[in-house]
Every structure is written in structure tokens, then in C-alpha cells.
Amino acid sequence: MRKNNIVLVGGGSTWTPGILKAMTTHLDDFALNRVVLYDINEERQEVIGDFAKILFKEEAPEVEVVYTTDKEVAYSDVDFVFCQMRTGGFDMREKDEKIPLSLGVVGQETCGPGGFAYGLRSIRDMVEMVKDVRRLSPDAWILNYTNPAAIVALALDKIFPEEDRILNICDQPVNLLRSYSKLIDHDVNKLEPVYFGLNHFGWFTNIYDETGKDRAPELKDIILQGGFRPVDAEQRDQSWLDTYAMVEDMLTDFPDYLPNTYLQYYLYPEYKLSTSDPERTRTDEVREGREKKVFAECRRIVENGTARDSKVVHNDAHGDMMVEVAASIANNLRKTFVVMVRNDGIVSNLPEDSMVEVAASLGANGPAPYAVGHIDTFYKGLIENQYAFEKLTVEAYMEESYGKALQALTLNRTVGDAKKARKVLDALIEANAAYWPELK
Ligand code: NAD
Ligand code: G6P
Ligand code: MN
């Protein structure tokens, strides 16, 4: 088996330890030669990088581990780029959440004005990354998880239309599948989903088991009768438990399909707003929780010189999925994943150039998506509205257009009012001056 050179962009991310641990447990199906961690923040990178060296020395000493803030080192001679950067860090995420809330609009990092603001920040760094990678490793696969993935995926598709080795993925479909599998006590690897929509804006229509039986009706009944909790509920913060609980509400109102949790912001913007605290949002929870824990644990491991008793690096869906996606491509395994691809007729009555999220068989030549066909009016209406928002956001970036930015926010279901949209936009422009193009 070919041994891969990989680079993790955003090597100082809170998710990196879990991904590294997943790499050490998947060496049989994803062989490694070199792992490089790359970040623009030296301090974060050093903590996680020193942890990585200890982990690999103990679990896979044959793998070379390097950490760096030099992109020439990072992007040279690479087979797979795993990208998960956060332009502007948690300081800017906080603004994405709190500025809209202070003006009476949903505040979330990937949905509504928060996702819009984060999108305009992410695009520039992501375009730069793709150009740097292509200069130094023309054939590398770029696996992107950077949010807001819907907007990033669309922007990269518009800016690099010939690219066929960039794959944008989100772990929420697999998180949901893992939680469904627990509800019906079934091996998640034996469940085949049918899924359609945009990223953070989609539905499972069917969940087939290995006998061909669709388990979706049973799953809907279970959730409607007993509610929904994530499989890893003990490790989840309250906001995630609240989020999963909203699936029952969505199913009560719209029982056709199993919804992605992020649809709660678009279907119930007033309720989400009325139950949000503009002074304390998800960013505060992450900073006090995941970020603190991950960095404290990595520092402890570095001090002790061993990762054998590490708690922070337990495997979650995210790490496993990232490595399994790469393994499926590297070894042409053709496993099924829910990924983002250019529509091109997969959903027959949605725009050809939208970036849809659907199930695909993933092999050496990339994703071969499964056809979805025609979707019903309600879903088509919702998706077309959201897609218009995403497209206008990307165009606002590319054309540096205030007008398109205002159109985008006005269309977004979480805003829905042009005067509100203008207020939020003006406040976000001020907050993002260091990151956005100047909108004229
Ligand atoms: P984080 O801030 O802890 O980590 C991001 C890291 O990226 C930071 O260390 C930062 O210094 C670095 N960075 C910023 N700009 C960079 C650049 N231009 N080049 C290289 N590194 C850069 O954030 P996090 O919560 O760990 O999340 C990381 C990213 O992964 C976010 O975009 C998040 O939304 C995304 N994410 C996506 C999924 C998904 O399902 N698609 C799941 C989890 C996380
Ligand atoms: C889900 C989403 C991701 C998001 C992640 C973490 O997995 O699919 O896109 O980044 O949750 O969100 P959090 O609020 O915990 O940082
Ligand atoms: Mn996601």
C-alpha cells in the first residue's frame, strides 16, 4: 500500500488531536509516511505539534511528524491536504454570533449573517491555500472541512472550475447516522443513506440497512415518541443537546424526511432568537469547554511525555470520517459518504451549478454521486432560496459588491427583512474590516 504524505492545515485546531489519533488507528487502510501540521498561529501549533510527536512516537514511530508555520514546508510533496482553518479565530466567531443577535437576528457561525460573515473571511484564505498547494503539490487531494463549508465549496467551485481534486465535506451527516444507528441498535457501517440538500441544509430521505430495508420510518417514529439525543450525549454541551432535541419539532411539523439539525435556524428563526443569549453564545461554550480541554490535555501530555492515558483524543465521528474519506480515495474503496458536489443534474429540479450535499461512492477518481431525482415543492423552495443566498454571498465577495451582499442577507430566511439586513450588514462590515474585501 502506498504510504501517504499529509498536511493538516489548521494544525492548531481543537479537532487536530482527535484526527491524529484516528490516523494512528487507521494505518492499515490509510498508510502514512509523513504528517505535517501547519498553522499560522505558532503558539497553538506548538502545543498540538508536540502532542503529535509524542502520540506518533508511541503509536507509529515509523511516521515522520513535522509541525511548521512555513507554507513552503507544509505544502511540498503532499498527497492529501486535510483543511480545517478558522480565519479570524474564535474572536471573530464570537462576533459572527453576537452582532446579529444584538440586532434581533439569529447568531450562528455557519447559518444566516454569521455564516455570511465567516464565509467572506474564509474564501480569501481558502483560495490562497488552493493556489499554494497547486504550486507545490499539483496532484494532491484537498479535503476541506473549513466552514461555512457550503459557501467555501461554492466559492472554490466558481474560482477553480477545472479542479477535480478538491472535496468539501461536513461531519454532521455521519454524526446523525451514528446517532440513528444507536436508536435502532444497528452497525452504522451497514447503513446506507440517501440524502439531499445543501451543506447544513439537507434531509435524509432513506436509511437502508444491509437487507435493503429502509429504516427511516422506524427512526422517525422513535424520535417522534422519545425525542432525540446524540450518541455521545455525555460529552456534549447543553446547546448541542438542545439542537438535537429540535429534530423532534422539525419531524412533527415536516414528517417527510429526517432533517439536518442546522435546519432549526431556518425553520424556527424566531424561536431560536428568543432562546438565545446575545451575551453568551456557542463561542463562549467552546472556549470554556473544548478549546480549554484540548489545550490543557495536550500540555499535560507533553509534560508527562506520554499520550497513552490521553482522554482528549478519544475517537469521535469527525476524526474517523476524515481518515476514512482519505482512505476511500487513496485505495479506491468506493465507500459511501455524504459529500458536497456540483449538482449537474443529481437533483434534477435544482440549479446545475449549485453545490449540493448528497451521498456518493468515493474512489480514486473522486466522488461518484448517486442520483436523487426530482424533489418536492417545499424542499425545492427552501433550497433555492438558500442557494440564492449562498450564490449572492460568493458574488458579493468576487465582485466586491455591497448590493449583492445586501441582496444575500435580505434573502436569507433568518433575516427576511431588507432594513434589518442593511443594519446587520453595516455592523458586520465594520467588524470584519481586516478580513473582507471592501464592498462597494
Ligand atoms: P480553531 O480556531 O480551534 O482551529 C482553527 C485553526 O486554524 C487555528 O489554530 C488557526 O490559527 C488556524 N488558521 C487560521 N487561519 C489559517 C490559515 N490561513 N492557514 C492555516 N491555519 C489557519 O477552530 P476549530 O473549532 O477547531 O475549527 C476549525 C475549522 O474546522 C473551522 O472552520 C470549523 O468550522 C471547521 N469544522 C468543520 C466541520 C465540518 O463538519 N465541516 C467539523 C468540525 C470543524
Ligand atoms: C458539526 C458541524 C460542523 C461544526 C461542528 C462543531 O459537526 O457539522 O460544521 O464545525 O459541528 O461545532 P461547534 O459549535 O462545536 O464548534
Ligand atoms: Mn458541518
Side-chain angles (χ1 to χ4, degrees), residues 15 86 93 109 147 170-172 175 200 240 262 282 286 290:
W15 299 95
R86 184 185 287 288
R93 176 177 179 172
E109 66 158 347
N147 269 319
C170 165
D171 63 13
Q172 194 58 359
N175 283 325
H200 289 188
W240 271 112
Y262 284 89
R282 176 70 188 142
V286 174
R290 183 172 76 234

Side-chain angles (χ1 to χ4, degrees), residues 228-437:
F228 192 29
R229 280 168 66 78
V231 59
D232 51 353
E234 319 72 50
Q235 295 156 31
R236 294 278 188 157
D237 293 325
Q238 189 56 43
S239 67
W240 271 112
L241 300 180
D242 297 344
T243 291
Y244 274 70
M246 287 296 285
V247 170
E248 186 184 345
D249 294 64
M250 291 194 263
L251 273 177
T252 304
D253 289 333
F254 309 107
D256 294 341
Y257 309 132
L258 289 154
N260 191 302
T261 48
Y262 284 89
L263 283 160
Q264 64 169 336
Y265 298 103
Y266 303 100
L267 296 174
Y268 312 108
E270 284 178 21
Y271 172 76
K272 291 308 294 179
L273 183 65
S274 70
T275 53
S276 298
D277 178 355
E279 304 297 325
R280 191 181 152 74
T281 58
R282 176 70 188 142
T283 298
D284 298 293
E285 234 180 19
V286 174
R287 278 180 160 154
E288 292 158 19
R290 183 172 76 234
E291 188 183 33
K292 218 181 215 167
K293 255 192 261 163
V294 165
F295 281 88
E297 181 66 357
C298 286
R299 286 199 175 95
R300 188 187 69 82
I301 286 164
V302 173
E303 237 163 66
N304 292 355
T306 174
R308 290 251 152 87
D309 64 344
S310 167
K311 281 182 232 64
V312 92
V313 295
H314 68 268
N315 261 339
D316 59 359
H318 185 73
D320 280 343
M321 179 180 164
M322 276 181 106
V323 182
E324 284 165 16
V325 160
S328 201
I329 295 173
N331 305 315
N332 199 26
L333 300 180
R334 305 203 145 276
K335 282 174 71 174
T336 300
F337 294 91
V338 173
V339 297
M340 281 158 253
V341 286
R342 194 189 297 153
N343 184 29
D344 275 342
I346 301 164
V347 183
S348 51
N349 53 344
L350 284 180
E352 302 255 306
D353 69 342
S354 55
M355 289 298 282
V356 290
E357 195 168 67
V358 291
S361 141
L362 191 56
N365 295 315
Y370 298 115
V372 171
H374 186 95
I375 57 170
D376 287 345
T377 306
F378 177 63
Y379 304 95
K380 181 172 187 279
L382 285 171
I383 292 173
E384 282 185 335
N385 176 272
Q386 177 69 4
Y387 173 58
F389 154 77
E390 291 171 0
K391 191 172 179 197
L392 286 163
T393 301
V394 171
E395 289 174 0
Y397 175 89
M398 292 173 73
E399 299 166 24
E400 306 188 349
S401 164
Y402 183 95
K404 288 210 165 161
L406 182 60
Q407 289 179 348
L409 286 179
T410 303
L411 266 183
N412 196 282
R413 283 187 58 80
T414 66
V415 183
D417 177 284
K419 293 251 184 269
K420 255 192 205 171
R422 189 183 279 280
K423 253 197 215 152
V424 176
L425 176 58
D426 290 344
L428 291 173
I429 286 175
E430 210 185 311
N432 284 277
Y435 299 97
W436 285 7

Side-chain angles (χ1 to χ4, degrees), residues 82-146:
F82 290 45
C83 185
Q84 35 152 29
M85 61 171 79
R86 184 185 287 288
T87 301
F90 287 114
D91 285 351
M92 290 309 295
R93 176 177 179 172
E94 183 175 17
K95 294 187 182 179
D96 296 341
E97 293 166 347
K98 292 183 179 173
I99 290 173
L101 283 176
S102 74
L103 297 168
V105 180
V106 164
Q108 208 281 331
E109 66 158 347
T110 65
C111 303
F116 169 88
Y118 189 14
L120 291 194
R121 289 199 306 278
S122 292
I123 295 171
R124 189 178 67 188
D125 282 357
M126 288 296 297
V127 168
E128 188 182 312
M129 179 276 296
V130 171
K131 287 183 177 160
D132 287 333
V133 170
R134 283 297 169 254
R135 179 168 54 84
L136 294 162
S137 291
D139 297 326
W141 269 95
I142 299 174
L143 308 179
N144 179 54
Y145 296 79
T146 302

